[in-house]
Amino acid sequence: MQSLIFLLLIIVVFYFFMIRPQMKKQKESTNFRNSLKKGDKVTTTGGIYGKVTDVKDTTITLEIADKVIVKVDKSAVMADPGDQPVPAKK
């Protein structure tokens, strides 16, 4: 009986500390990718910074320099860390 309770406790801990936060992060990423619009600044998973110039169903077009346009899959795009608020220093 104790081993069953211990096993259930381990499963609950894994769910709340590993599975649930990962699902929340994945949902936020999906919402971000679906809300992309022209003019947004993004970073690709490969580390390329750019500005969105066009959004299609599964791809976006980025301008990474003057007159340099790249087509990228939506799944390879994440928020530009430069757009994130900087935490206050103590």
Side-chain angles (χ1 to χ4, degrees):
M1 185 69 179
Q2 284 181 333
S3 62
L4 182 62
I5 292 172
F6 184 71
L7 181 63
L8 288 174
L9 181 66
I10 289 175
I11 291 171
V12 168
V13 167
F14 267 102
Y15 176 76
F16 280 107
F17 288 107
M18 297 182 80
I19 297 170
R20 190 167 178 232
Q22 183 63 31
M23 288 173 30
K24 183 178 177 184
K25 187 176 180 181
Q26 185 176 3
K27 187 176 181 180
E28 288 172 356
S29 294
T30 302
N31 288 340
F32 169 75
R33 289 179 182 129
N34 289 335
S35 68
L36 282 172
K37 59 189 178 305
K38 187 176 179 178
D40 288 347
K41 292 182 179 179
V42 295
T43 304
T44 66
T45 54
I48 299 173
Y49 291 78
K51 187 164 60 168
V52 177
T53 59
D54 188 30
V55 180
K56 302 279 185 187
D57 290 335
T58 59
T59 61
I60 63 169
T61 306
L62 294 178
E63 181 176 8
I64 58 175
D66 289 335
K67 298 180 184 179
V68 179
I69 306 294
V70 179
K71 186 186 260 187
V72 181
D73 192 51
K74 268 189 180 179
S75 64
V77 174
M78 53 190 179
D80 185 357
D83 290 345
Q84 304 297 325
V86 178
K89 293 183 181 179
K90 292 181 181 180

